[in-house]
Amino acid sequence: MTGFRSLACAALLMLAPAAVLAETVTLQAESATPGTDQVTSMRFVDVVLKPGSRQALADFTRNRVGKRIQLRSNGVLLSSATLQSPLEGDSFRIVAGEHGFAGKSAEEIAKGIMASDGLTVDDDGTASSDWGTRPSKRPATQAPGT
């Protein structure tokens, strides 16, 4: 019976979706500068990557065009976006969403990026730290009688 369970587990692992093989890349920043857009008043953080991280980000995003990735610092989900092209530059801007950076200011995020292990980028939905920070994908329900 134990042999059958082992065989069944092995078969399930072979049939597991590719998300199990998801990847996370750590990026190191040369600088992280907070700011405010003068036209929209939106808060942002401009990030300049160290040379090794520039290549790591380009390599990570090259085969993920059309797929969603997530960017985090210290466990805070900063951005989740569908890639339109590989990210091959030396810098990028992270713009705060409607509610800011998960309750943190742009200054706090910039300081955290520089004081921590930098940023991480991963495949959409692969990290457990985004529980409670991602919007629900379920359709809204109507109240009874409406």
Side-chain angles (χ1 to χ4, degrees), residues 27 29 32 45 47 70-79 94 101-102 104 108-122 129:
L27 306 173
V45 177
V47 177
Q70 297 179 337
L71 182 68
R72 293 182 175 71
S73 175
N74 296 316
V76 174
L77 179 63
L78 301 177
S79 181
I94 308 166
F101 293 110
K104 296 186 182 284
E108 289 173 304
I109 295 298
K111 285 179 186 176
I113 290 170
M114 295 309 297
S116 72
D117 291 333
L119 299 154
T120 59
V121 61
D122 58 58
S129 63

Side-chain angles (χ1 to χ4, degrees), residues 25 27 49 53-62 87 92 121:
V25 174
L27 306 173
L49 295 174
S53 290
R54 296 170 191 169
Q55 188 62 48
L57 182 60
D59 292 344
F60 180 84
T61 59
R62 192 168 293 114
L87 303 177
F92 54 87
V121 61

